Amino acid sequence: MATAIILPKLDEAMRTGKIVKWLKKEGDLVKKGEGVVQIETEKVTFEIEAEGSGILGKIMAKEGEELPVGTIIAYIIQPGEKVPEAPVLVATAREAARTQKPVTVPKEEARAKVFEAPTEGRAIKASPLAKRIAREHNIDITSIRGTGPSGRIVREDVLRVMEESKIAVARPTREEVELADEQVASLSSMRKVIARRMTESFQSPHFYLTVEVETQELMKTNKQLVPLIENKIGIRSTITDLLIKMVAKALEDNPSMNCAYFDGSVKFFRRIDIGLVTSVEGGLVVPVIRQANRKSLTEIARARAELVQKAREGKLSMAEMKGSTFTLSNLGMYGIDQFSAILQPPEAAILAVGRIADKAVVREGQIVIRPMMTMTLSIDHRVLDGTIGAQFLKSLKDYIENPALMFYSVLVSP
Amino acid sequence: MRDLTYREAVREALGEELRRDKSVFLLGEDIAEYSGAYKVTQGLLEEFGRERIRNTNLAESAIAGAALGAALVGTRPVAEIMYIDFSLLALDQIFNQIAKFRYMTGGMVKVPLVIRTQGGGGKAAGLHHSQSLEALYTHIPGLIVVMPSTPYDAKGLLKSSIRDDNPVIFIEHKGLYNESGPVPEEEYMIPLGKAEVKRQGKDITAVAYSKSLLLTLKAAETLEKYGISLEVIDPRTLKPLDQDTILNSVEKTSRLMIVHEACKTGGFGAEIAAIVAEKGIDYLDAPIKRVAALDSPIPFNPRLEDYVLPNENDIIKGAFELTGKEIPAELKLG
């Protein structure tokens, strides 16, 4: 029987996905487990694999097209079989409803499922006109409450939803964009997210605390550890790894820093998950190093290396980018002295780290040369104040300048 | 503009065509001295004489057959079949001969004849004098089927029917003969196959013809007071049907109701519904509604007849159903 390939919902927040590239053509033989199409979501690119073998029947979505989750984008058929026509919309609607439940994403690789085309079950009651409008505007009809006779979804219901969600705003066609200006390029999904999140973020009241730290000891520690870790796991640990570990420890010491503003209240996190701003082609992503306070430096290095690698290849899953409680952004390797980062909502703080450079500093009345690094903490003033930020930076500065302190806990069990 | 009754309008069309074209003549049961069962041909015998206003014997098959023969030799007969119920006696002539002759001869002959008849109930005329059988005729290729609802349309369409070179089944309604309406004194024609929007509206397209059109227009007035706006379309010619006018209207209103006096099953409303389903399903925001007679012979008893035939309240109820609105209690629709 024909199986539908459906744009899966990988994440509760995922509303749409963009068809990047069809890896198979209509009429191609497809083996179970083979990649069929590349999909880009707001943050990840992944491949949908065939759940069964057959022939790729009809491709129903063009490359570059952005579609709502639950849309049937192709069918895999058996020889001699025809692509089903009529039940497409109903099927779409029902499948979307099914995928509304959170889907667990396998850790190793985001994989999408190919669902069986449904042959039984109750259809969504919607008028043909309502269905057409929903189809034309990429609206998931199952998300609409019907107010027509016996709960039927009618035109008015779809128009109401369009009004509410402003989906009605038509995206300009490529022709329109080209006509307007040849230099205009549409934003990638990632850029759109960056644009949206940063705009949102900038509405929260930021303030900044800057501190200069001496990194002689940090560099010495790093130098000692790099060969040990490299021998063990084949990965070169970095200053960033040490900073992640130290930030995690400083957050443990100052738990009130590890929080987020949520719609009029503040949420304190017990877990310490550090987001690491990672630049990729065309933008940036923020993979998360989980439980950084409980991980050894070796584990952090391994996790960081894997995540950065995946990020560069565009293979990060949504799960790998969600739920950081504090974010670290290091532009030191690009020669930046210092900078201020914009908060990653809903987090209440982000640390921007500049390069390490030799500077003339005064020590015991003498001008000496020391390797210095400038860190700037951006804080959401709705939930945090300068003193808390200052205490956190003090802890961090202590660890950087004197790594031995990492083994001293300010928390004493009673 | 002067008003004429439907009866007078039909009579005027016949008179004008008889006067204009010597090849036009009438034949039928008791149409001369008696002026026909519904007095449509009154006064025509006096003006045109017995040669052109011809009584026939009581044999519908003979009337149809004679009309066909006359048409084949170059005249333009207008035959009257007193009741559409009796036309069943002439079906072999109509279906197998009249409808097919032009095709059988590869177009070598024309069949310019009109069969005027009347149908419909509401007059307690009984089971054999009250039927609405238009769907029988629309099913047969080769026939044009006209069903006018107003005096104006009756006159203009009958003149076009007489001048057409193909056989036309022209179905009047016994309940319309006394209805009057404006008819201009100057000559006019109404083309066959053209529907007319009888009332503009935005919520529901109501397709109705013959006497049902009047019911629908009345219902539309009531509905307007309750915020439901009907766009009423009279196809006027059922075959060929003006599909575009109906589809354009459904596109605008997104709801379709069809009202006719014929029984629902296999009625012409099913054809209209099917066309809209085939060509305009994406316009529809509600299921298609047919308001039609119950599937029953039309009872003799007037109360039972009222019960079986569709009425204004059925249309109003249907409209509320289509829009999903509550029927206000004060309407007392029963």
Side-chain angles (χ1 to χ4, degrees):
Chain A
M1 86 178 257
T3 51
I5 301 180
I6 290 163
L7 190 63
K9 192 172 178 119
L10 296 177
D11 181 82
E12 277 164 88
M14 179 173 166
R15 287 197 209 106
T16 59
K18 190 168 160 185
I19 311 291
V20 180
K21 193 173 182 332
W22 283 98
L23 306 170
K24 296 278 177 186
K25 291 195 301 287
E26 273 182 23
D28 279 0
L29 280 173
V30 180
K31 277 196 230 110
K32 187 176 174 177
E34 247 186 326
V36 179
V37 59
Q38 259 183 16
I39 305 289
E40 185 186 62
T41 72
E42 288 193 333
K43 289 182 168 180
V44 218
T45 306
F46 64 94
E47 276 177 22
I48 296 186
E49 296 173 356
E51 265 218 342
S53 303
I55 299 163
L56 187 60
K58 197 180 165 99
I59 289 181
M60 294 153 92
K62 288 193 286 280
E63 288 179 4
E65 211 174 338
E66 194 164 338
L67 297 164
V69 295
T71 307
I72 294 178
I73 53 175
Y75 278 101
I76 293 177
I77 55 174
Q78 300 309 314
E81 199 177 26
K82 273 192 165 172
V83 173
E85 277 173 40
V88 165
L89 195 91
V90 170
T92 306
R94 210 163 41 238
E95 285 307 325
R98 191 195 291 183
T99 50
Q100 297 238 317
K101 290 177 213 129
V103 173
T104 330
V105 183
K107 289 232 169 86
E108 294 307 310
E109 208 177 332
R111 271 186 201 188
K113 301 230 164 180
V114 179
F115 293 102
E116 291 246 305
T119 51
E120 52 184 6
R122 228 157 42 83
I124 299 285
K125 220 174 182 188
S127 78
L129 180 63
K131 285 178 184 169
R132 190 189 71 188
I133 298 171
R135 192 164 61 227
E136 285 172 357
H137 292 87
N138 280 347
I139 295 165
D140 172 10
I141 201 137
T142 56
S143 65
I144 300 173
R145 190 175 53 86
T147 63
S150 45
R152 184 183 298 113
I153 300 164
V154 293
R155 168 174 55 187
E156 244 173 64
D157 299 324
V158 184
L159 295 181
R160 188 188 62 237
V161 168
M162 275 164 58
E163 187 54 37
E164 282 166 9
S165 60
K166 300 286 178 202
I167 297 172
V169 179
R171 284 195 300 275
T173 64
R174 186 189 294 175
E175 286 79 7
E176 282 167 343
V177 170
E178 279 175 1
L179 268 180
D181 187 336
E182 288 187 356
Q183 296 300 310
V184 174
S186 64
L187 292 180
S188 68
S189 301
M190 176 167 59
R191 271 262 68 96
K192 276 188 207 161
V193 176
I194 295 171
R196 178 168 57 76
R197 285 175 60 87
M198 289 302 107
T199 308
E200 269 169 33
S201 169
F202 224 57
Q203 288 163 4
S204 61
H206 286 58
F207 75 100
Y208 310 95
L209 301 175
T210 302
V211 67
E212 222 179 9
V213 291
E214 194 180 310
T215 59
Q216 212 160 5
E217 292 305 312
L218 181 73
M219 290 160 78
K220 203 193 275 176
T221 306
N222 188 46
K223 212 171 179 178
Q224 285 173 338
L225 292 170
V226 165
L228 295 175
I229 292 172
E230 195 170 14
N231 279 343
K232 190 77 188 163
I233 61 167
I235 288 165
R236 275 186 76 84
S237 64
T238 63
I239 295 274
T240 301
D241 298 334
L242 276 167
L243 286 175
I244 290 168
K245 184 69 193 162
M246 287 167 174
V247 163
K249 176 90 166 98
L251 285 173
E252 262 182 351
D253 300 344
N254 302 275
S256 52
M257 271 300 291
N258 197 30
C259 70
Y261 177 81
F262 268 110
D263 204 19
S265 56
V266 55
K267 185 170 178 176
F268 293 100
F269 299 106
R270 284 215 188 86
R271 59 193 172 84
I272 294 175
D273 292 349
I274 307 293
L276 181 65
V277 179
T278 306
S279 73
V280 295
E281 201 184 320
L284 52 87
V285 290
V286 188
V288 184
I289 292 149
R290 307 278 169 204
Q291 312 271 19
N293 54 327
R294 295 189 190 169
K295 280 192 165 72
S296 69
L297 189 68
T298 313
E299 287 168 329
I300 288 175
R302 189 208 300 269
R304 187 261 313 149
E306 273 177 15
L307 290 169
V308 169
Q309 171 84 8
K310 274 192 193 175
R312 302 257 148 92
E313 291 170 3
K315 283 185 178 164
L316 282 175
S317 71
M318 300 287 277
E320 286 165 328
M321 290 184 283
K322 276 189 65 172
S324 53
T325 64
F326 184 98
T327 296
L328 179 66
S329 182
N330 186 354
L331 283 179
M333 51 288 232
Y334 297 101
I336 296 300
D337 289 324
Q338 72 166 89
F339 68 105
S340 312
I342 298 176
L343 289 169
Q344 280 256 99
E347 288 165 31
I350 180 169
L351 186 72
V353 179
R355 67 167 175 160
I356 296 171
D358 284 344
K359 279 189 182 169
V361 292
V362 177
R363 292 282 181 267
E364 293 160 5
Q366 297 293 311
I367 295 176
V368 292
I369 292 173
R370 292 279 189 270
M372 301 300 290
M373 181 174 84
T374 307
M375 303 187 298
T376 302
L377 183 69
S378 309
I379 289 179
D380 184 346
H381 213 336
R382 289 172 301 186
V383 289
L384 290 176
D385 300 317
T387 46
I388 301 169
Q391 279 163 19
F392 167 79
L393 280 179
K394 167 82 168 61
S395 301
L396 184 58
K397 183 180 159 84
D398 284 350
Y399 295 136
I400 292 169
E401 293 186 341
N402 190 357
L405 289 176
M406 286 290 285
F407 303 99
Y408 166 74
S409 178
V410 291
L411 302 170
V412 181
S413 333
Chain B
M1 201 190 295
R2 64 176 177 157
D3 275 8
L4 287 186
T5 62
Y6 189 92
R7 174 188 290 110
E8 289 163 343
V10 173
R11 184 186 298 146
E12 202 167 86
L14 291 170
E16 282 179 18
E17 291 308 297
L18 283 160
R19 232 165 270 134
R20 184 189 63 84
D21 183 350
K22 290 276 179 292
S23 68
V24 174
F25 77 98
L26 313 189
L27 70 163
E29 294 162 2
D30 271 337
I31 61 165
E33 291 86 348
Y34 188 66
S35 313
Y38 286 92
K39 306 294 172 208
V40 172
T41 52
Q42 200 161 44
L44 296 179
L45 173 66
E46 289 73 12
E47 184 179 350
F48 299 102
R50 202 168 289 284
E51 278 292 297
R52 299 181 71 194
I53 311 296
R54 304 176 75 102
N55 279 333
T56 65
N57 48 1
L58 285 176
E60 284 72 17
S61 184
I63 296 170
L68 171 61
L72 291 176
V73 296
T75 62
R76 290 186 174 270
V78 181
E80 180 180 302
I81 303 269
M82 196 185 281
Y83 283 82
I84 198 169
D85 314 70
F86 308 160
S87 73
L88 303 184
L89 291 156
L91 284 192
D92 180 60
Q93 285 300 321
I94 299 171
F95 288 2
N96 284 329
Q97 312 306 330
I98 291 172
K100 296 184 172 54
F101 226 97
R102 198 169 180 182
Y103 296 83
M104 258 180 342
T105 60
M108 288 164 70
V109 298
K110 297 172 192 165
V111 186
L113 71 81
V114 176
I115 293 176
R116 274 186 53 243
T117 186
Q118 56 78 26
K123 296 274 178 196
L127 291 68
H128 298 101
H129 298 78
S130 306
Q131 297 176 81
S132 297
L133 300 176
E134 63 273 13
L136 292 182
Y137 293 95
T138 57
H139 185 62
I140 304 300
L143 299 176
I144 291 169
V145 182
V146 179
M147 252 180 125
S149 58
T150 65
Y152 178 86
D153 288 346
K155 184 181 174 190
L157 286 164
L158 183 52
K159 285 167 71 79
S160 296
S161 299
I162 293 170
R163 295 187 200 185
D164 199 277
D165 283 339
N166 296 291
V168 176
I169 309 297
F170 192 89
I171 307 172
E172 297 154 21
H173 193 294
K174 60 177 71 62
L176 287 176
Y177 284 129
N178 289 332
E179 295 289 334
S180 50
V183 177
E185 289 183 50
E186 60 274 21
E187 190 180 33
Y188 67 94
M189 309 262 287
I190 295 174
L192 301 175
K194 280 297 290 176
E196 189 180 54
V197 178
K198 296 286 189 187
R199 181 192 174 100
Q200 300 272 350
K202 59 181 179 50
D203 296 326
I204 298 172
T205 296
V207 179
Y209 54 84
S210 197
K211 195 182 165 194
S212 299
L213 180 93
L214 305 194
L215 294 179
T216 307
L217 287 171
K218 274 195 207 151
E221 274 174 38
T222 309
L223 286 163
E224 194 74 52
K225 292 181 204 142
Y226 293 93
I228 298 176
S229 152
L230 249 57
E231 174 141 307
V232 183
I233 292 179
D234 184 352
R236 305 194 290 194
T237 305
L238 299 190
K239 198 174 181 185
L241 182 69
D242 180 356
Q243 303 185 5
D244 289 346
T245 300
I246 295 171
L247 287 164
N248 288 342
S249 174
V250 172
E251 184 173 9
K252 181 171 93 173
T253 64
S254 75
R255 297 181 190 92
L256 174 64
M257 175 193 282
I258 304 143
V259 189
H260 62 52
E261 203 182 305
C263 301
K264 186 187 263 188
T265 302
F268 193 69
E271 183 61 32
I272 296 174
I275 288 165
V276 171
E278 277 177 345
K279 301 185 178 175
I281 188 113
D282 284 336
Y283 306 148
L284 289 174
D285 205 20
I288 296 169
K289 181 94 202 158
R290 283 182 291 163
V291 176
L294 303 181
D295 285 328
S296 158
I298 309 303
F300 205 165
N301 178 311
R303 293 200 176 192
L304 286 177
E305 185 182 32
D306 281 352
Y307 178 73
V308 166
L309 297 180
N311 58 34
E312 210 181 309
N313 285 353
D314 296 329
I315 300 168
I316 293 170
K317 265 192 257 181
F320 276 101
E321 256 176 60
L322 277 181
T323 51
K325 293 186 181 173
E326 287 279 318
I327 300 176
E330 75 218 51
L331 274 175
K332 298 200 177 77
L333 299 183

